[in-house]
Amino acid sequence: SYVVVGLGVITFLYLLFGYGVQILTNMICFAYPMYRSFKALETKEEDDDTQWLTYWVIFAYFNMLEYFVDFILSYFS
């Protein structure tokens, strides 16, 4: 049973620090700002709305940039 648990832990760590890193960072970069954006919409101030709208525009820009750069660089490897 220790072998199965050990393999499970190794698999989890590989996913966490291997391919799972991208999922984890996307969740951090998406979940918290989404929560804060909804909270900002509930306030009457416009400064926080502008701040989080700016965040989402920059986030979308970098996601699109990453997609195209990855597509272009895939031809060179």
Side-chain angles (χ1 to χ4, degrees):
S1 77
Y2 289 115
V3 173
V4 174
V5 172
L7 289 174
V9 169
I10 290 172
T11 303
F12 175 75
L13 290 174
Y14 176 74
L15 289 174
L16 184 64
F17 296 111
Y19 293 107
V21 172
Q22 185 176 7
I23 294 169
L24 181 63
T25 55
N26 282 339
M27 287 303 294
I28 291 171
C29 293
F30 187 79
Y32 177 71
M34 180 179 63
Y35 170 76
R36 294 297 297 171
S37 296
F38 282 119
K39 288 295 186 181
L41 289 174
E42 293 175 352
T43 64
K44 293 185 180 185
E45 299 174 12
E46 292 184 8
D47 292 339
D48 55 356
D49 297 345
T50 305
Q51 174 190 356
W52 287 109
L53 182 59
T54 304
Y55 172 83
W56 287 114
V57 169
I58 293 171
F59 182 75
Y61 172 76
F62 279 113
N63 274 338
M64 288 178 54
L65 180 69
E66 179 185 16
Y67 174 78
F68 288 114
V69 168
D70 186 42
F71 180 74
I72 292 169
L73 291 178
S74 68
Y75 286 111
F76 294 113
S77 60

